[in-house]
Amino acid sequence: MKRVSIHMWLTLIFVSSILGIILVACGSNQPIQIGFIGSITGRLADMGMSARNAVQLAVEQCNEQGGIRGRRVTLIIKDDRQDAETALQAIQELIAANVVAVVGPLVSNMATVVVPHLNEAQLLTVAPTVTTPHLSGQDDYFFRVCIASQEHAFRSARYQIESGDMRRVAVVYDGGNRTFSENWLANFKKPFVAGGGKILTFIEYKEKDGRSFSDIARELLAAEPDGILIIANPMDSGLLCQQIRQADASIKITLSNWGASQRLLEMGGNAVEGVTLPIAFDWDSPSPPYLTFRKKYLERYQREPGFAGVYAYDAAQVVLTALKASELQKPLKAVLLSIGEFDGLQGKIRFDAYGDVAPAHASIRIVRNRKFVVVE
């Protein structure tokens, strides 16, 4: 009896060892999962779809090149619908799915909602287009590949003062992304007022408040400004420009960098001709990686990637590069910080110890013949 028990025990050890080897081998071939979160429906869908498409392209290219040490990468896509509860649920689902990192979110309001939960889970996120300074200078799991919003706002204010185009300004901003909008306005107002400008009035609107853009346009013009500043998403910016131009065809209009996308041109039509805006992104960049990416993106999706697509591709490549340099044992955040510098489509991406990138020069552009043309 004792001999049988020993035999059975040895057999169990042998079988367990074989099963363990099989499970390890199978586990090592399991796909590596990355999450994506952004608004891919509603008024921000143009940015969300551009970003999602670019991340999908980056993942496909990675898999075509052999994946991560032979393991395929899969992308789990979540739509936050620009809604806090939806975003939180999406993040919890990504955490439960054991993704190794997240690309997104895309707007500041959603970032301030989900980043605390990502920090609690110690899950790295690389945001393509989140510009709020409220997440700057923090030792957390939030990284971004774009510059913070104050650089754009300062540049816009200085341009308006130096050019003399706008001295008396009425402002309308999207309260649905208040974290971005109010900060952008504050950073614009300080140098603008110091330079002799005056903010006559400001109007906050939200998608659900029921106010028509024609009513907002009339209220803005009632203050008798010589210019109007719109801080809103591309779709709303274009529609607001239409209503403002219908009431006053000659009034000068400037936008925040948030409005700078193909969607603005599509929704605004002739009403956005002559509109100015500040942005660090360069549609005309001669960078070979950018030109190659843009060509592939156009062939695949038949539309321009815009700044959201380019920055999302950069964010995805940051994650994929860190994964390739990691053995999935060292925390991905530590790997990313140890690398420090990454190749972006339009130049180097250099992270500081807090996951922020160095400030970059924002140019002033004007819409001419449905193109964003550099003014200075």
Side-chain angles (χ1 to χ4, degrees):
M1 192 72 175
K2 184 177 180 181
R3 187 176 302 170
V4 174
S5 298
I6 293 173
H7 176 74
M8 290 178 64
W9 180 66
L10 292 173
T11 301
L12 285 171
I13 292 176
F14 176 76
V15 171
S16 298
S17 300
I18 295 298
L19 286 173
I21 293 170
I22 292 172
L23 288 172
V24 170
C26 290
S28 65
N29 291 325
Q30 291 298 308
I32 296 173
Q33 297 188 128
I34 294 174
F36 169 85
I37 183 169
S39 301
I40 53 180
T41 55
R43 285 179 161 165
L44 303 185
D46 63 311
M47 286 181 58
M49 289 189 292
S50 293
R52 178 203 61 192
N53 293 345
V55 176
Q56 284 180 323
L57 190 58
V59 168
E60 289 174 8
Q61 291 172 341
C62 176
N63 287 330
E64 289 170 0
Q65 297 165 5
I68 307 295
R69 291 181 296 281
R71 296 173 64 182
R72 288 184 60 79
V73 179
T74 58
L75 184 65
I76 301 178
I77 298 169
K78 296 293 181 180
D79 182 4
D80 63 29
R81 301 179 187 175
Q82 187 62 7
D83 175 75
E85 290 186 8
T86 304
L88 285 175
Q89 181 180 345
I91 287 299
Q92 293 302 329
E93 290 172 356
L94 290 175
I95 292 170
N98 292 318
V99 298
V100 297
V102 174
V103 176
L106 303 180
V107 296
S108 298
N109 258 25
M110 294 298 97
T112 55
V113 167
V114 303
V115 165
H117 295 270
L118 292 165
N119 289 339
E120 185 178 351
Q122 298 184 1
L123 180 59
L124 176 76
T125 183
V126 182
T129 54
V130 171
T131 60
T132 176
H134 294 309
L135 294 172
S136 299
Q138 298 183 30
D139 184 12
D140 56 13
Y141 287 80
F142 173 79
F143 287 66
R144 60 175 141 210
V145 297
C146 61
I147 63 173
S149 58
Q150 61 260 37
E151 298 299 326
H152 296 101
F154 290 162
R155 185 71 183 88
S156 177
R158 288 194 295 267
Y159 172 76
Q160 302 306 336
I161 292 297
E162 292 168 4
S163 66
D165 282 354
M166 298 186 190
R167 291 290 178 137
R168 294 164 44 83
V169 174
V171 181
V172 56
Y173 68 89
D174 182 355
N177 189 17
R178 184 178 289 168
T179 303
F180 170 86
S181 300
E182 291 188 346
N183 182 266
W184 207 98
L185 177 56
N187 283 309
F188 174 90
K189 182 178 179 179
K190 185 174 181 180
F192 184 72
V193 172
K198 186 175 182 180
I199 304 292
L200 301 176
T201 187
F202 56 87
I203 300 171
E204 177 187 6
Y205 77 93
K206 292 182 180 179
E207 183 179 352
K208 299 177 182 178
D209 64 13
R211 300 183 67 186
S212 69
F213 285 167
S214 60
D215 288 342
I216 292 174
R218 283 193 292 270
E219 188 175 343
L220 290 167
L221 293 168
E224 299 184 351
D226 57 22
I228 292 176
L229 166 61
I230 300 173
I231 307 172
N233 64 71
M235 178 177 174
D236 287 0
S237 294
L239 294 175
L240 280 164
C241 285
Q242 284 193 352
Q243 295 301 320
I244 293 166
R245 295 292 193 206
Q246 285 181 16
D248 186 341
S250 63
I251 190 76
K252 294 183 181 298
I253 303 175
T254 192
L255 309 179
S256 70
N257 49 295
W258 188 14
S261 83
Q262 194 71 23
R263 187 68 165 166
L264 171 74
L265 307 179
E266 294 168 355
M267 299 303 298
N270 291 333
V272 298
E273 287 291 313
V275 166
T276 58
L277 50 89
I279 192 165
F281 176 73
D282 184 4
W283 285 267
D284 305 311
S285 171
S287 166
Y290 166 69
L291 295 176
T292 299
F293 164 77
R294 181 172 175 266
K295 180 181 178 182
K296 289 181 179 178
Y297 190 99
L298 284 167
E299 290 173 350
R300 174 74 175 273
Y301 301 109
Q302 286 78 56
R303 63 182 293 115
E304 290 284 349
F307 72 90
V310 169
Y311 291 153
Y313 185 86
D314 281 346
Q317 291 295 358
V318 165
V319 170
L320 293 169
T321 300
L323 284 170
K324 290 175 183 177
S326 168
E327 294 296 330
L328 298 182
Q329 295 173 349
K330 187 176 181 181
L332 200 58
K333 173 186 173 181
V335 175
L336 196 155
L337 288 172
S338 68
I339 298 172
E341 181 177 282
F342 296 80
D343 292 323
L345 291 175
Q346 294 193 359
K348 296 291 185 180
I349 299 169
R350 298 180 178 90
F351 293 108
D352 64 17
Y354 303 108
D356 298 315
V357 293
H361 174 74
S363 64
I364 298 295
R365 301 219 171 205
I366 188 170
V367 178
R368 286 181 181 153
N369 299 318
R370 299 179 66 83
K371 291 184 178 181
F372 296 101
V373 179
V374 175
V375 175
E376 66 173 44

